[in-house]
Amino acid sequence: ELKVEQNPLFLSMQEGKNYTIYCNYSTTSDRLYWYRQDPGKSLESLFVLLSNGAVKQEGRLMASLDTKARLSTLHITAAVHDLSATYFCAGSGTYKYIFGTGTRLKVLA
Amino acid sequence: NAGVTQTPKFQVLKTGQSMTLQCAQDMNHEYMSWYRQDPGMGLRLIHYSVGAGITDQGEVPNGYNVSRSTTEDFPLRLLSAAPSQTSVYFCASSYDGSRKKLFFGSGTQLSVL
C-alpha cells in the first residue's frame, strides 16, 4: 500500500533564501504530483512528474523525481513572500491518489 | 468553465444527523473522488469512482456513502454524523484515473456538534 511522507512539516524561511521540501513514498507510484494550497483555499496543481529523472520548473519552484530512491524534491530558489502556502506531494496507483501531510511554508520579509 | 463545484461551502450538523455533500464537474472526467483534510494529516481519500455506476473505498470510508449515477455528479453522504467527521471536505476529479492531475473543488467546511 502506497504511503507518502513529507518533510519538513513546517518551514519558515527568509526572502531570498533557498530550501528544499522532501517527499518519500513507499512503493511504486504511477506519477508524483505537487500541489499548492493557500490558506482557506483549495488545492492547485503545480507539477506532474512522470518518470525517473524528471525535472520540471515553474518560476522559483523546481520539482524532481528519483524513482529508484522513491524520492521527489521541491526546490525553492530565492524565496519570495508570495510563495507562502502549504505544499503537498501525492503519489498515485490503482486509481488512488495518496497525499503527504503537507509542508507549511512561511516566507518572511 | 465552472470546473468542480461543491456545495455547501459551510455546514453545521448535530451528532446523528445525516446530510449530503454535493459535487459536480463539467469537464467530462471519468474519475472523481472525495477527500477529507484534517490538521497535520494532509488529505485522506474517502471514496472514489472511475465512472458512472462504479465506486470504491479509499483510506477512510467508514461513516460515508457514495453513489455515481451520472458522469457529472458524485455526492457524499454522511449517514449519522459524528464529531470525528468535523473536517474540510474536498471533491476532486481527473481525466484519466490516477494518471492525470486532480482538479479540486473549493471545499466544504463541516462541523459536527
Side-chain angles (χ1 to χ4, degrees):
Chain A
E1 184 178 324
L2 178 62
K3 294 189 186 302
V4 178
E5 291 185 355
Q6 268 181 258
N7 67 84
L9 297 183
F10 299 98
L11 179 55
S12 180
M13 55 191 299
Q14 289 189 322
E15 279 193 329
K17 299 294 186 182
N18 305 334
Y19 209 82
T20 301
I21 300 171
Y22 297 89
C23 176
N24 292 91
Y25 55 99
S26 60
T27 65
T28 302
S29 178
D30 285 346
R31 306 279 189 271
L32 200 292
Y33 304 84
W34 285 95
Y35 292 86
R36 168 179 172 148
Q37 185 181 37
D38 292 308
K41 303 293 186 182
S42 187
L43 281 80
E44 173 188 355
S45 177
L46 293 174
F47 302 109
V48 180
L49 301 170
L50 303 182
S51 58
N52 190 45
V55 177
K56 290 199 173 180
Q57 184 163 4
E58 179 76 31
R60 301 175 187 274
L61 300 177
M62 184 175 71
S64 65
L65 179 62
D66 180 344
T67 58
K68 294 180 181 177
R70 294 181 183 156
L71 171 68
S72 180
T73 60
L74 181 66
H75 187 73
I76 302 153
T77 301
V80 292
H81 180 71
D82 286 352
L83 291 179
S84 296
T86 298
Y87 294 86
F88 291 95
C89 65
S92 67
T94 323
Y95 301 115
K96 293 182 181 180
Y97 298 79
I98 304 298
F99 282 77
T101 51
T103 296
R104 186 183 295 178
L105 171 65
K106 186 172 183 179
V107 181
L108 306 172
Chain B
N1 187 3
V4 180
T5 303
Q6 280 184 245
T7 56
K9 291 192 181 301
F10 302 94
Q11 183 70 49
V12 178
L13 293 178
K14 294 182 179 178
T15 298
Q17 287 185 314
S18 62
M19 79 157 295
T20 300
L21 307 185
Q22 301 291 345
C23 176
Q25 51 89 13
D26 62 359
M27 298 174 283
N28 203 31
H29 286 171
E30 291 294 331
Y31 184 90
M32 296 185 74
S33 54
W34 278 100
Y35 293 84
R36 60 177 288 172
Q37 183 176 23
D38 302 292
M41 302 193 75
L43 278 79
R44 292 181 291 169
L45 179 64
I46 304 171
H47 285 285
Y48 66 95
S49 169
V50 298
I54 306 170
T55 65
D56 205 346
Q57 296 181 349
E59 301 169 273
V60 288
N62 292 340
Y64 306 95
N65 209 352
V66 293
S67 60
R68 184 100 178 267
S69 57
T70 68
T71 298
E72 294 77 20
D73 299 298
F74 189 45
L76 178 72
R77 296 182 190 85
L78 280 70
L79 307 174
S80 177
S84 61
Q85 294 179 304
T86 293
S87 188
V88 179
Y89 292 84
F90 287 99
C91 177
S93 70
S94 78
Y95 174 68
D96 181 16
S98 55
R99 303 171 72 82
K100 297 290 184 185
K101 68 180 182 181
L102 287 167
F103 291 80
F104 282 84
S106 57
T108 296
Q109 188 165 324
L110 175 68
S111 294
V112 183
L113 306 177

